[in-house]
Amino acid sequence: MINNDVLAIILGGGQGSRLYPLTAERSKPAVPIAGKYRLVDIPISNCINSDIKRMFVLTQFNSASLNRHIKNTYHFSFFSSAFVDVLAAEQTPENKTWFQGTADAVRQSMHHFLRHDFKYFLILSGDQLYQMDYTKMIKAHEESNAKVSIATIPVNAKDATSFGIMKADAENVVTSFIEKPENKLLQDWTSEVSDDMKNQGRHYLASMGIYIFNRDVLTELMKNPDTIDFGKEIIPQNIDKHKTVSYQYEGYWTDIGNIDSFFEANIGLTQDIPQFDLYDKNKRIYTRARMLPTTKIAGTTLVRAVIAEGCIISAAKIEKSVIGIRSRIGKESTVINTYVMGTDNYETLENIEKNKISVLLGIGERCFIKNAIIDKNCRIADDVRINGGMHLEDTETDTYFVKDGIVVIKKGVTIPKGFIIDKF
């Protein structure tokens, strides 16, 4: 079943500099998450679970891997109107610039959207982790006769200074908006929230960057070329012109905006009852179907580990870590508080011998790795020590990057035998 009233637009984001080096060779929506998925799988899966199956993904940086992932993943019936299409920034005789912001990206792509019949635009971000039934938000939008709806999440005073904050009345109509307010201003920006949220001290409505626009409203708003961003311009400038409603969401939601939030979101999956539930059959996360063998583990102590399929593991211990597809971890190695993204392919013995490969894909023997992200297709030789933590200074080399104590081993690099990232 398809909700033909809604067209979903997933914003791929800009250059993704805050997620560098994970975005050095890929766009933000294509960054691997949870061992086997990509970030873009989150909003697409939420749409599919909400019977919204007409989607555009807008991107302009490093879009090749994103294109490939979507092409290989999302196949609908030939007799269905469902689709997931990637729209990269394109220069035309009328517009010779790249996307300048979220609203500008939608504006430049508008001629593609308006070829379809629908009532509502659903604008989504491609770099957030959450599970939402959009049909409930659409129903609330219709029942309130809103022109614009904004998904909001109650936050506490500490977090409120990092978001755009809405003030809503008793009927959830947004009356005012402020971008990243100073702490001293917050007393005037509380809104009515549930008792559960009040008990947690979450009195402020933060914008989640998820919007519903009536088709005619957004079409008209896009005619102004001077507005280039939804959060900074479109929303605050039109609250008084078009009825705008807050749709409060109280589930798990996190913005994967930087290395720290990305790391914490992945490691959080190792909790006994993680906030992001990958096991709910009604909220499935879809991704590319790979015909991989089961994971093989020999002599390894596992403590709160999430391990994807196709791995070959002989490590001594894996603790509070996410191990991605096709990962290989050698004997006597220890991996703690780490996200290993895995590899795209297996290496055959024939290929190893033919090319005289001395350092194999994956993690070698007697390694110690803690507080790290190992990007795809890395080769870590034997006896390597990577001990991330706040004792390390922020730095970057050709092979690794340190930010806020998290060590990121760059995609496809080789770390030689006995190499040490630590400070004694």
Side-chain angles (χ1 to χ4, degrees), residues 229-243:
D229 193 84
F230 280 106
K232 296 178 182 177
E233 295 167 326
I234 295 289
I235 297 301
Q237 290 174 12
N238 288 279
I239 286 173
D240 296 330
K241 300 176 183 177
H242 303 285
K243 184 178 181 181

Side-chain angles (χ1 to χ4, degrees), residues 208-235:
M208 297 168 64
I210 297 170
Y211 314 111
I212 295 174
F213 287 88
N214 287 3
R215 174 176 173 145
D216 60 333
V217 172
L218 189 59
T219 302
E220 185 64 31
L221 292 177
M222 290 295 98
K223 292 179 180 179
N224 180 2
D226 296 328
T227 52
I228 61 173
D229 193 84
F230 280 106
K232 296 178 182 177
E233 295 167 326
I234 295 289
I235 297 301

Side-chain angles (χ1 to χ4, degrees), residues 79-150:
F79 304 101
S80 167
S81 61
F83 63 84
V84 182
D85 284 352
V86 177
L87 291 180
E90 56 183 357
Q91 293 183 341
T92 66
E94 293 77 25
N95 198 324
K96 301 183 183 299
T97 63
W98 299 114
F99 297 156
Q100 302 300 304
T102 54
D104 187 59
V106 171
R107 178 184 297 107
Q108 290 195 39
S109 306
M110 205 69 175
H111 58 290
H112 295 293
F113 309 148
L114 296 180
R115 294 171 184 166
H116 299 271
D117 292 327
F118 60 96
K119 293 181 181 178
Y120 309 115
F121 284 96
L122 174 63
I123 309 294
L124 306 170
S125 173
D127 55 359
Q128 298 173 346
L129 191 62
Y130 65 106
Q131 291 165 304
M132 178 188 284
D133 183 352
Y134 300 131
T135 57
K136 294 180 180 179
M137 183 177 176
I138 294 163
K139 183 179 180 181
H141 178 85
E142 292 176 329
E143 290 178 346
S144 63
N145 293 316
K147 302 293 185 181
V148 183
S149 286
I150 304 170

Side-chain angles (χ1 to χ4, degrees), residues 25-27 30 59 61-70 86:
E25 299 180 18
R26 57 170 81 93
S27 60
T59 186
F61 289 98
N62 292 331
S63 58
S65 63
L66 179 67
N67 274 312
R68 187 166 56 250
H69 174 72
I70 288 177
V86 177

Side-chain angles (χ1 to χ4, degrees), residues 47 68 111 154 254 285-286 293:
C47 283
R68 187 166 56 250
H111 58 290
T254 186
I285 305 301
Y286 300 94

